[in-house]
Amino acid sequence: MSQIEQETEIEGVDVAGPPDAQPIVFVHGAMFTGKMWAPQRDALSDEFRVIAPDLPGHGARSEETFQLEPALDLLDEIVETLADGHAILVGLSLGGYVSTEYASRHPEKVDGLVVVGSSANPVGGMGVVTRAVGSASRLVTRSDLVEQGIRRAGERWVRNRDLSPEIQEEIIEAGIYPRQFGEAGPDLRWEDFRAALGTYPGPTLVLYGSRDLVMRKGGEDHAAAANDAYLASIDGVGHICNLHRPEAFTDAVRRFSDEIVNAPSDD
């Protein structure tokens, strides 16, 4: 059995890498699935225990509707059963908010936190925007025709990335779920994730694509709210930076683990 084909008792979870290696749990963004982390899984699984679940409403859990609390319960089950009770969490967009809330509630289980494209805090004016965008998305994706069009656009976007054909097909075959974007926004509005980040005592990497203007604008404030923060960007890319420039993204995660989370002690 190859590393990528390791079986688990939890539905919709990719697991690869040595069981005794540092676990990293990758949490995907809205509309995609855990397969969006395939480039990182393939690049890191020789040295890390890489775990990438499907969130509620996506992939193997597409019959569910995304809500924050069930997503947190799922993440805790994964950390406890597949990561020996602790892991580095890497979350992009929706996954970044889920990971932040999880780290706030279970700091002892989070070795380090990487929040990617998740530095806009959905409170105040941004909460109004989040609610409006989510509600509009929910409305338009009620149309099967519109949903199909968004799905096809997403598939074209993946095929236009500099990824191997095998990885492109793996991501596309797992599905794209536009309706969950409309479900996630209203569910997260008014949640003060910046305050939650401030309760997590461990190291945090706040990461964004340099062309992701909304997240770039909130990056410094987000990092300032954390207790032990590192701020970085990936040049020339937008929101889904792990697929825009997979090697640069993977290197950022590896450096965070090696130089910050697991840095050799001076003692």
Side-chain angles (χ1 to χ4, degrees):
M1 179 179 294
S2 72
Q3 289 183 326
I4 295 172
E5 295 172 344
Q6 293 178 27
E7 295 181 357
T8 75
E9 295 181 358
I10 305 175
E11 185 179 24
V13 185
D14 265 5
V15 180
D20 58 350
Q22 166 69 60
I24 305 181
V25 177
F26 287 90
V27 190
H28 66 80
M31 298 200 297
F32 284 92
T33 72
K35 296 295 186 181
M36 77 174 295
W37 300 111
Q40 284 69 48
R41 177 201 64 204
D42 289 357
L44 293 171
S45 58
D46 284 345
E47 53 188 307
F48 295 94
R49 179 75 160 172
V50 178
I51 304 167
D54 292 340
L55 289 174
H58 303 77
R61 299 177 179 273
S62 61
E63 297 302 315
E64 305 172 27
T65 297
F66 178 84
Q67 291 183 317
L68 180 59
E69 292 301 326
L72 293 169
D73 291 342
L74 172 64
L75 188 52
D76 193 47
E77 181 183 8
I78 287 166
V79 170
E80 284 295 324
T81 60
L82 301 179
D84 199 27
H86 69 97
I88 296 172
L89 298 188
V90 180
L92 186 146
S93 194
L94 173 61
Y97 294 116
V98 173
S99 298
T100 297
E101 184 64 22
Y102 184 85
S104 175
R105 297 188 190 188
H106 305 284
E108 74 285 356
K109 299 181 184 182
V110 180
D111 300 326
L113 177 64
V114 182
V115 290
V116 189
S118 310
S119 48
N121 202 29
V123 297
M126 187 56 67
V128 174
V129 172
T130 301
R131 179 179 182 180
V133 171
S135 297
S137 299
R138 183 184 294 177
L139 180 63
V140 299
T141 55
R142 287 177 181 172
S143 165
D144 290 341
L145 187 61
V146 171
E147 185 189 30
Q148 186 179 44
I150 296 172
R151 184 179 296 116
R152 287 177 176 171
E155 292 172 355
R156 287 195 300 272
W157 185 91
V158 171
R159 289 196 172 98
N160 286 332
R161 304 281 70 80
D162 186 17
L163 303 168
S164 72
E166 294 79 11
I167 285 181
Q168 290 179 5
E169 289 308 311
E170 187 175 0
I171 294 170
I172 290 169
E173 288 178 5
I176 295 173
Y177 301 87
R179 286 179 179 165
Q180 295 308 310
F181 186 85
E183 298 294 341
D187 190 57
L188 299 185
R189 70 188 189 279
W190 316 131
E191 294 281 347
D192 193 343
F193 291 101
R194 196 162 288 166
L197 180 61
T199 69
Y200 171 61
T204 300
L205 173 62
V206 177
L207 185 63
Y208 54 84
S210 66
R211 295 180 181 174
D212 189 354
L213 301 183
V214 173
M215 300 304 168
R216 186 179 73 184
K217 183 177 179 181
E220 289 188 4
D221 288 341
H222 215 62
N227 289 285
D228 182 15
Y230 304 83
L231 181 65
S233 66
I234 297 179
D235 290 339
V237 298
H239 191 59
I240 310 176
C241 51
N242 78 300
L243 296 179
H244 274 287
R245 291 187 61 195
E247 292 182 0
F249 184 93
T250 300
D251 286 346
V253 173
R254 183 186 285 111
R255 288 197 305 271
F256 178 68
S257 173
D258 293 349
E259 299 175 11
I260 305 300
V261 177
N262 295 300
S265 173
D266 293 334
D267 296 337

